[in-house]
Structures are given as structure tokens and as C-alpha cells.
Amino acid sequence: MPRVIARARAGLIGLVVAGVALAGTVTPASAVSGDWRTRMLSRVNAVRALAGVPALTSCPALTSSAQRYSALMARTDTFGHIGPDGRGPGERITSAGYRWTLAGENLAGGQHTVYEVMQGWRGSASHLATMTNAAFTHVGFGYASDPTSPYIRYWVQDYASGRC
């Protein structure tokens, strides 16, 4: 599920899609084999290159936001852009210390590998649009799992333009 929001004088603009799931023990991102964030960044930038847009740079603040949110979804058995605390991507990204002018988020649940989740996002017009938005300059990724939750694996991509 993608979400793109822009900071404007009138406030936040975007699409909200939410879903619900169940609970368990959260496994951190280190459980995914190898340096999965490097592989994901490489794949995202390859998709962007095919679209003729500049490569993204990984941002620690966005990675922190994405990682915390993937863990929260796994821990609370929720799935959607609005978390169980009522906060959306822009609020989470701001809380992580990123000063943004444009922000977006892709979510996925259930995929076992970077390859699988990227295939799913590439096959979705709205997720692909988020990945290839030329206005974004930074990105961060999160992953968490809980074997007792409905999706088991939760993936987050946070995109933004602003100050990392």
C-alpha cells in the first residue's frame, strides 16, 4: 500500500489505506539474510534508472522511521499507513528527525525476500509510482517479523525529500 503526502500550507494531502491483523514476538531486521537494505536500495535505484529518475540516497532517519514502524505493525498485528497510535507516515518520519517537504511510504506483508517484495511493489502501479517519484531524494527501509501474526513479515519503505 503506497502513501504519498506533501507538506502544504493547508496541511497533509494523501491517500490513507488501513487494515487489521493479530499478535506475537517481533524479530528484528537482522533476521533477513545478508545486507538486505543494500540489496533493496540497489533494486529501487535500478527501477528508478529505468524510469529515468535520479538515484536515492539512504537516510538513517528514514531507516529508523521505517524500522520502528515495521516492528510496530508486527508487534500489534496491524497493517496500514495509519498506525495503531493514529500516526501516519509524515508524523513518524518527523518524529525520526527528518525535516521533509514531500514524503511517501510503501508497505507490504508476507513476502520472504527482498526480491519477492520488490516484485510485488513493481507490479503495482501505485507502489511503482512512489518508487519512481523523481521528487524524492532519500529513502529508508524497515523489516520485522512475528510468526504468530497474519502476515508474519512486514516491510516498509519510507521516501522523502528534505533534510536527512
Side-chain angles (χ1 to χ4, degrees), residues 21 70 73-74 77-79 108-109 142-144 149-156:
S70 64
M73 286 192 296
D77 295 324
T78 57
F79 185 84
Y143 167 87
S149 67
Y151 291 105
I152 300 173
R153 293 162 198 85
Y154 296 79
W155 301 86
V156 177

Side-chain angles (χ1 to χ4, degrees), residues 15 49-50 81 83 93 155 162:
L15 168 68
L50 288 172
H81 295 288
I93 290 168
W155 301 86

Side-chain angles (χ1 to χ4, degrees), residues 16-118:
V16 176
V17 183
V20 181
L22 295 165
T25 304
V26 176
T27 303
S30 60
V32 178
S33 65
D35 189 358
W36 69 271
R37 283 189 176 95
T38 299
R39 289 193 313 274
M40 185 172 279
L41 181 60
S42 175
R43 290 200 167 104
V44 167
N45 282 333
V47 169
R48 290 175 67 84
L50 288 172
V53 297
L56 297 169
T57 302
S58 181
C59 173
L62 293 177
T63 296
S64 176
S65 174
Q67 184 56 48
R68 281 186 286 184
Y69 192 54
S70 64
L72 178 65
M73 286 192 296
R75 184 175 60 254
T76 60
D77 295 324
T78 57
F79 185 84
H81 295 288
I82 302 301
D85 58 1
R87 294 181 347 151
E91 294 158 301
R92 290 189 296 272
I93 290 168
T94 298
S95 290
Y98 190 96
R99 296 177 54 114
W100 57 274
T101 55
L102 179 69
E105 179 174 78
N106 281 343
L107 303 178
Q111 297 82 356
H112 291 83
T113 66
V114 168
Y115 176 81
E116 287 177 13
V117 75
M118 287 298 297

Side-chain angles (χ1 to χ4, degrees), residues 1-2 106 118-131:
M1 292 180 207
N106 281 343
M118 287 298 297
Q119 286 298 104
W121 281 327
R122 284 185 70 187
S124 161
S126 56
H127 291 93
L128 182 62
T130 301
M131 282 192 287

Side-chain angles (χ1 to χ4, degrees), residues 136-150:
F136 291 135
T137 56
H138 299 111
V139 68
F141 308 122
Y143 167 87
S145 68
D146 179 340
T148 66
S149 67

